[in-house]
Amino acid sequence: MRVGIPNFGNSYIAVKAAAQKLDAGDNELVIPPPMTRRTLDLGVKYSPVEACLPYKLTLGSLIEACELGADTLIHARGTGICRLGYYAKGQEQMLHDLGYNAHFLTIDISQHKFRSIMRLIKDVTNGAPWPKIISAFYFAVGKLFALDKIEKVVHKVRALEIDKGTASQIYQEAIRAIDGAPNQREVKKLTRHYVDRLSKIPKNPKASPIKVGIVGEIYVVIEPFSNMDIEVELGKLGVEVHRTMTISRWVKYSLFLNYLGINEWRGVHKLAMPYLDHDVGGDGWESVGEKVLYSRKGYDGLIHLAPFTCMPEIVAQNIMPSTKEDIPVLAVLCDEQMAKQGLITRLEAFVDLLEFRRKRRDGKRA
Ligand code: SF4
């Protein structure tokens, strides 16, 4: 078996780490190349025109995995309200039509997620013993937590650094180093090392950065290619970004704490209640609640990332203007038409607006 996965943020590092720790016999992992315009073009060409961007990008990525010889593909499936449940079926059919005889192994991300992932690992490792699977899984998850911890620091440093681009460069080094770390001890050591290096970057001591929350659909929030590196671009403009959604948080709650009855979104859903009192699929309910949350936390603005044609985020986008919480929202529709320069121009105008509002607010207080 040559097992391929679609790209999604740093998730490939965890999959690679687990594969390295498990002896899968003749089975081999195929990681597609980092996403490029070609990945998007392939996805767009072979997807229904109305499909959402995550569908198109993951299809493009899976085609690239097949080109590298993958014959078995791992993908998510679900029973939620959005179209995620149809992804694997539609993409499998398309790959067959293109002549790739790839077999799909799916992970149920609606229910029984932990069991579904464990079962899948068991299958692709020809029945590796459970203690070995659990240990490989924790090692893989440890890398995700380390990378998200470092990235959180990067978000703060980017806004303050004097020499723009230094934090991003160190973060890229950290990704490569943690990817290559052979054990958990080394992962912890590297995490400390990179957090320390980031803390030593020369920063502007007088800066009081504009703070922006990033909300929206999970794929476009986490996968930088799909949002054109929006966090890096905001950092260049001196903006500190914060986002709740990370892969490690998803793992922590969806695979562990949810089973103990702890719902990470309970508070956010409560905040959304006056405006939206039920799940609308995807991450739409959370987007509305997070608008209220970021406003209460005193953030200057909010960026709402929504894939074009994504129904849950369209619902959220239409509700947001009617909330009483006063925080400016920049809605960014992510699709294949999005152009980087256009996005940067919109970000610059948004940041100007936020700076103006802050000056006016501070002037009133003085
Ligand atoms: S939430 Fe939206 S973008 Fe994500 S899979 Fe569902 S429809 Fe597509």
Side-chain angles (χ1 to χ4, degrees):
M1 241 194 293
R2 288 177 58 84
V3 185
I5 52 163
N7 274 310
F8 174 41
N10 291 326
S11 61
Y12 72 95
I13 291 176
V15 179
K16 227 168 117 182
Q20 277 160 4
K21 288 278 169 197
L22 291 159
D23 181 14
D26 291 339
N27 297 341
E28 206 184 305
L29 179 66
V30 178
I31 309 256
M35 287 199 266
T36 59
R37 183 73 218 184
R38 179 178 184 267
T39 319
L40 178 60
D41 288 344
L42 283 170
V44 170
K45 188 169 174 190
Y46 298 114
S47 299
V49 68
E50 70 283 358
C52 48
L53 189 66
Y55 182 101
K56 293 173 180 170
L57 281 176
T58 50
L59 176 61
S61 196
L62 290 174
I63 293 174
E64 291 186 322
C66 287
E67 287 172 346
L68 292 176
D71 55 25
T72 305
L73 300 170
I74 296 179
H75 209 339
R77 80 182 134 85
T79 50
I81 307 169
C82 84
R83 290 170 281 182
L84 179 68
Y86 304 112
Y87 268 32
K89 268 278 142 256
Q91 292 178 340
E92 187 173 24
Q93 183 61 53
M94 179 46 72
L95 285 165
H96 285 177
D97 292 350
L98 289 172
Y100 297 111
N101 222 355
H103 167 59
F104 267 60
L105 295 175
T106 54
I107 299 170
D108 182 350
I109 58 161
S110 301
Q111 291 165 332
H112 317 301
K113 300 166 189 130
F114 186 73
R115 203 192 316 159
S116 183
I117 290 178
M118 290 297 138
R119 208 49 280 159
L120 185 133
I121 299 178
K122 190 91 176 162
D123 290 347
V124 296
T125 54
N126 302 326
W130 283 117
K132 207 170 176 188
I133 292 179
I134 303 278
S135 136
F137 180 73
Y138 278 100
F139 175 55
V141 165
K143 290 199 176 191
L144 290 177
F145 276 89
L147 287 168
D148 283 338
K149 185 175 177 182
I150 296 169
E151 193 176 26
K152 225 173 181 175
V153 182
V154 170
H155 287 157
K156 286 184 185 290
V157 177
R158 270 191 196 126
L160 300 169
E161 64 188 358
I162 291 169
D163 191 5
K164 290 289 174 204
T166 313
S168 296
Q169 202 185 315
I170 291 177
Y171 180 49
Q172 289 309 315
E173 270 180 48
I175 293 176
R176 284 193 293 275
I178 287 182
D179 185 17
N183 54 47
Q184 193 56 30
R185 220 170 120 226
E186 187 66 13
V187 171
K188 284 189 179 157
K189 204 172 123 197
L190 286 167
T191 310
R192 282 195 299 274
H193 168 75
Y194 283 103
V195 168
D196 185 51
R197 272 184 69 187
L198 288 163
S199 70
K200 288 183 179 144
I201 291 177
K203 303 174 190 76
N204 178 356
K206 289 190 192 140
S208 168
I210 290 287
K211 289 170 88 178
V212 163
I214 304 225
V215 303
E217 194 268 350
I218 189 164
Y219 191 89
V220 292
V221 166
I222 290 178
E223 172 50 54
F225 181 79
S226 68
N227 60 42
M228 302 202 147
D229 283 315
I230 198 164
E231 292 172 349
V232 175
E233 295 307 326
L234 285 163
K236 287 183 195 162
L237 296 173
V239 174
E240 180 185 322
V241 302
H242 183 271
R243 68 174 141 88
T244 314
M245 276 178 192
T246 59
I247 305 182
S248 61
R249 186 177 189 262
W250 184 89
V251 168
K252 180 177 164 186
Y253 284 95
S254 299
L255 302 186
F256 301 105
L257 298 181
N258 287 173
Y259 288 98
L260 303 174
I262 301 168
N263 181 347
E264 72 276 33
W265 293 113
R266 189 169 291 141
V268 167
H269 292 160
K270 212 168 152 195
L271 292 172
M273 279 301 194
Y275 315 107
L276 183 64
D277 64 3
H278 62 276
D279 187 11
V280 289
D283 309 289
W285 200 11
E286 290 77 27
S287 293
V288 174
E290 283 213 274
K291 181 192 171 185
V292 180
L293 183 69
Y294 279 112
S295 169
R296 292 200 184 164
K297 282 186 172 174
Y299 273 70
D300 297 284
L302 193 74
I303 292 186
H304 179 209
L305 295 175
F308 185 57
T309 76
C310 168
M311 197 49 80
E313 297 304 332
I314 291 172
V315 172
Q317 197 187 339
N318 281 286
I319 290 173
M320 282 195 191
S322 61
T323 68
K324 70 174 167 39
E325 283 73 19
D326 181 27
I327 180 170
V329 180
L330 177 69
V332 176
L333 286 179
C334 304
D335 74 351
E336 62 271 22
Q337 310 294 343
M338 195 158 95
K340 185 123 186 183
Q341 199 46 53
L343 176 69
I344 293 173
T345 307
R346 291 185 68 205
L347 293 179
E348 285 168 349
F350 187 59
V351 174
D352 276 353
L353 168 82
L354 301 182
E355 280 170 349
F356 172 76
R357 279 173 54 102
R358 193 191 267 191
K359 273 189 202 139
R360 198 179 58 181
R361 189 194 63 196
D362 292 350
K364 270 185 195 165
R365 274 192 198 149

